[in-house]
């Protein structure tokens, strides 16, 4: 039987959110603004994990088809950040350019352009000559590209903290340095979350927004969400002449980069290593060699621009590369929003707004079926074989 909308179970459900990344903080903000009693429990500090150290891309271009409606919904929120949370978080919209190294790589760009246009996006396909004319700072060896105006980037260090601050101003309780040690059902259909020093938090609804650690939280609650922790490696250069307009990505995924207003070039490519404790990560030596060389080949003018530093963060990746969003079939009031597989920054505000609608009205306003937490469940017959 389909569970009743959460709003019908209690007039204003008490919501407890596990995780203070962009997804958790945005969800806390939108729910608190909607009048819900909200507690956000963050193990470390708000925005200190992947949400605060990622590339900062705000991109719809090239998204998986299932993610596109959510990415578009989220993109509509980004220009409103100053109005909503008091800061624009350095949001800029120079567009997103994806480049192909070979003729064969042009085919997926053309295929996705049709998908993007069907969703109302403007997508410009560029042949070799057009790419050279419009973006002369790129190597002339590229086969072509695809450009999506309106995409851009923001400062990842600002977004989750500002959402959390705005949530607190709306009445949410934000607890940092507060890990969730266990989650239990109550006889009345709600939950008790246990924290340090005997702390107990009662809730009608729990949102698992624990990022790369969301699979472990789901496991405590009996749901198998397979997730692998990866550590994308990032770099930043000294400020240099402003010549790079759009955010840039390669079809191969080997490099993605952007230039800040100040002139620093921020780029990512390759992966570092995750410590066995699952809480720490570090850059990899081979990536230090490979990624800067790829950037210099892509943009010859960057040869000789010094690197300032390199870093990594830990993100949770699912087997199909799609996030886990929604209620688990057998557990009314338990909502997962994790495993974003590197796509959570752009979609975070949209996820927060969508979960508000799901919790308060029972209607997310979007089809979330592709993100079902139960899609990885193994049928009993197979499990026992």
């Amino acid at each position: 039987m389909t569970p009743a909308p959460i709003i019908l179970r209690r007039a204003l459900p008490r919501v407890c959110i596990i995780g203070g990344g962009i997804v958790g903080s945005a969800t806390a903000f939108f729910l608190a603004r909607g009048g819900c009693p909200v507690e956000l429990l963050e193990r470390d500090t708000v925005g200190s994990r992947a949400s605060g150290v990622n590339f900062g891309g705000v991109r719809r271009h090239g998204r998986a088809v299932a993610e596109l409606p959510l990415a578009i919904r989220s993109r509509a929120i980004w220009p409103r950040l100053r109005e909503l949370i008091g800061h624009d978080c350095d949001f800029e919209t120079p567009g997103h350019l994806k480049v192909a190294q070979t003729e064969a790589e042009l085919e997926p760009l053309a295929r996705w352009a049709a998908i993007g246009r069907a969703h109302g996006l403007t997508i410009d396909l560029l042949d070799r000559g057009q790419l050279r004319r419009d973006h002369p700072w790129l190597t002339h060896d590229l086969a072509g590209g695809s450009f999506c105006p309106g995409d851009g980037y923001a400062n990842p260090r600002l977004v989750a903290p500002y959402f959390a601050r705005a949530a607190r101003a709306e009445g949410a309780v934000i607890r940092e340095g507060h890990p969730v040690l266990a989650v239990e059902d109550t006889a009345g259909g709600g939950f008790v979350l246990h924290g340090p020093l005997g702390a107990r938090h009662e809730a009608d609804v729990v949102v698992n927004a624990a990022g790369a650690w969301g699979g472990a939280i789901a496991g405590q609650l009996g749901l198998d969400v397979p997730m692998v922790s990866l550590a994308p490696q990032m770099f930043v250069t000294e400020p240099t002449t402003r010549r790079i307009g759009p955010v840039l990505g390669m079809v191969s995924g080997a490099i993605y980069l952007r230039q800040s207003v100040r002139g620093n070039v921020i780029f990512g490519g390759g992966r570092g290593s995750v410590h066995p404790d699952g809480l720490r990560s570090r850059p990899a030596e081979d990536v230090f060699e490979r990624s800067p060389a790829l950037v210099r080949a892509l943009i010859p003018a960057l040869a000789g621009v010094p690197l300032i530093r390199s870093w990594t963060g830990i993100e949770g990746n699912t087997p199909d590369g799609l996030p886990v969003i929604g209620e688990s079939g057998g557990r009314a009031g338990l909502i997962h929003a994790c495993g974003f597989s590197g796509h959570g920054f752009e979609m975070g505000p949209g996820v927060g707004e969508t979960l508000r609608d799901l919790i308060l009205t029972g209607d997310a306003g979007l089809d979330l079926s592709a993100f079902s937490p139960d899609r990885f469940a193994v049928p009993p017959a197979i499990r026992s074989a």
Side-chain angles (χ1 to χ4, degrees), residues 44-360:
D44 301 308
T45 55
V46 166
S48 62
R49 291 293 183 163
S51 290
V53 298
N54 66 78
F55 177 64
V58 179
R59 171 178 65 84
R60 299 157 297 176
H61 194 193
R63 288 279 178 230
V65 177
E67 292 179 330
L68 204 42
L70 186 52
I72 290 171
R73 180 175 192 172
S74 197
R75 172 61 181 79
I77 297 171
W78 281 96
R80 300 176 54 218
L81 289 186
R82 183 175 294 282
E83 164 204 341
L84 292 171
I85 62 175
H87 199 290
D88 67 3
C89 298
D90 300 342
F91 177 55
E92 298 282 344
T93 56
H96 184 270
L97 175 65
K98 196 173 278 289
V99 295
Q101 291 179 287
T102 66
E103 295 293 327
E105 288 183 345
L106 293 175
E107 195 278 330
L109 290 182
R111 192 167 60 241
W112 196 91
I115 294 169
R117 289 165 184 156
H119 283 78
L121 302 183
T122 298
I123 304 295
D124 301 324
L125 291 174
L126 308 175
D127 62 23
R128 186 185 299 270
Q130 290 170 309
L131 185 65
R132 183 180 300 188
R133 184 195 63 219
D134 294 351
H135 306 284
W137 40 273
L138 284 166
T139 176
H140 293 172
D141 295 334
L142 296 168
S146 173
F147 179 69
C148 180
D151 281 356
Y153 61 86
N155 187 336
R157 292 184 177 277
L158 299 178
V159 184
Y162 267 94
F163 263 114
R165 191 174 81 157
R168 184 181 284 118
E170 295 284 354
V173 176
I174 309 294
R175 301 187 192 277
E176 297 178 291
H178 201 92
V180 172
L181 304 178
V183 183
E184 293 178 353
D185 295 292
T186 65
F191 302 89
V192 173
L193 291 79
H194 297 270
L197 303 175
R200 287 169 50 92
H201 309 272
E202 296 185 357
D204 304 300
V205 177
V206 171
V207 177
N208 171 17
W213 300 273
I217 295 290
Q220 283 188 35
L221 296 160
L223 179 67
D224 181 20
V225 176
M227 203 179 295
V228 175
S229 294
L230 300 176
Q233 187 160 334
M234 305 295 304
F235 298 83
V236 62
T237 72
E238 291 277 6
T240 185
T241 304
R242 288 289 305 279
R243 56 173 62 84
I244 303 169
V247 178
L248 183 71
M250 299 175 74
V251 172
S252 66
I255 289 293
Y256 42 97
L257 67 82
R258 62 182 173 89
Q259 188 165 25
S260 71
V261 173
R262 186 166 176 264
N264 306 82
V265 177
I266 298 103
F267 62 96
R271 291 167 180 155
S273 59
V274 179
H275 190 273
D277 68 8
L279 299 175
R280 294 172 286 167
S281 62
R282 60 176 299 165
E285 291 297 327
D286 62 320
V287 179
F288 269 111
E289 297 291 330
R290 188 171 61 250
S291 290
L294 283 171
V295 169
R296 290 192 293 270
L298 195 61
I299 307 174
L302 293 182
V305 177
L307 291 173
I308 297 176
R309 69 185 180 99
S310 178
W311 70 94
T312 56
I314 302 176
E315 63 182 28
N317 286 251
T318 62
D320 58 12
L322 296 177
V324 174
I325 306 174
E327 270 191 300
S328 176
R331 303 293 293 273
L334 173 60
I335 297 176
H336 300 278
C338 55
F340 280 83
S341 305
H343 309 158
F345 185 70
E346 191 277 340
M347 294 196 290
V351 174
E353 190 178 68
T354 298
L355 293 187
R356 175 203 62 190
D357 291 348
L358 178 64
I359 292 169
L360 294 185

Side-chain angles (χ1 to χ4, degrees), residues 69 73 354 357-358 361-368:
R73 180 175 192 172
T354 298
D357 291 348
L358 178 64
T361 72
D363 181 3
L366 294 172
D367 180 7
L368 300 178

